[in-house]
Amino acid sequence: MYHRNDFKKLSLIQGSGKKNTKVYLVEYLKDGKLYVLKEVEAKDLDKLNDYKEEAVQLSKLKVHPNILQIFGYYFHQTKHNSFRLGIISEYLHRDQNLEVVYHQREKQRLFWSEDQLLLMMYSLIDACAYLESVGVCHRDIKP
């Protein structure tokens, strides 16, 4: 398990997270590697336990080529008597983000071939099948 002092926050990632969530690009101080830190604030222990359950489930995921890897998590109490859960995950460079790549291609009027789209769909279905096999449901995917 990690501690919040194991990381140096480099920048807030724009457009990320809900009202009580912030996502940062961080450096792991022990080896200098870059990761993403998702910090979720909970006003009470009950809410923290809900978030903790999510973190435990996510940390059980094994390596899959189409799912960001979760490396661990930590908890801490703030000065204002609330609690924070930090989830440490793989850093996906901007050039690898599908939404960013899509908008870059759209500006250049470049379109994916049918084979490229089929491969993307296969990857998405494979990732969803893997999540289902380990009992994890992604909240952003509608049935």
Side-chain angles (χ1 to χ4, degrees):
M1 188 136 93
Y2 293 102
H3 300 286
R4 82 181 163 127
N5 294 334
D6 292 341
F7 299 91
K8 176 183 176 186
K9 291 178 182 174
L10 301 176
S11 63
L12 181 66
I13 297 175
Q14 294 293 10
S16 59
K18 299 176 185 173
K19 180 180 172 186
N20 61 339
T21 303
K22 291 188 177 161
V23 181
Y24 299 94
L25 175 62
V26 296
E27 177 185 359
Y28 187 47
L29 296 176
K30 293 181 181 180
D31 63 12
K33 289 185 181 176
L34 298 179
Y35 295 92
V36 170
L37 165 64
K38 177 181 179 181
E39 277 192 338
V40 183
E41 188 166 346
K43 299 294 182 194
D44 57 53
L45 284 174
D46 289 335
K47 196 64 176 166
L48 180 66
N49 284 329
D50 291 344
Y51 294 144
K52 177 186 171 210
E53 181 60 31
E54 179 182 345
V56 167
Q57 293 302 317
L58 291 173
S59 67
K60 290 179 182 178
L61 296 177
K62 304 290 184 241
V63 176
H64 187 281
N66 302 107
I67 299 174
L68 288 178
Q69 189 173 359
I70 305 295
F71 295 106
Y73 55 90
Y74 66 80
F75 307 99
H76 74 93
Q77 188 169 357
T78 70
K79 295 182 235 178
H80 308 292
N81 292 326
S82 64
F83 304 91
R84 286 210 180 119
L85 163 69
I87 300 174
I88 310 303
S89 67
E90 176 182 359
Y91 170 59
L92 182 68
H93 191 273
R94 187 170 168 76
D95 294 344
Q96 297 173 300
N97 180 307
L98 182 60
E99 185 177 10
V100 171
V101 172
Y102 169 78
H103 288 299
Q104 289 171 345
R105 291 175 64 98
E106 185 180 45
K107 285 178 186 174
Q108 298 172 11
R109 305 226 10 101
L110 296 173
F111 302 98
W112 281 292
S113 70
E114 186 175 330
D115 286 344
Q116 289 171 312
L117 291 171
L118 283 171
L119 181 60
M120 280 188 240
M121 291 306 300
Y122 173 79
S123 299
L124 179 61
I125 291 167
D126 186 55
C128 289
Y130 169 72
L131 290 174
E132 181 182 23
S133 75
V134 295
V136 173
C137 178
H138 195 291
R139 76 176 110 235
D140 293 339
I141 298 175
K142 294 182 180 181

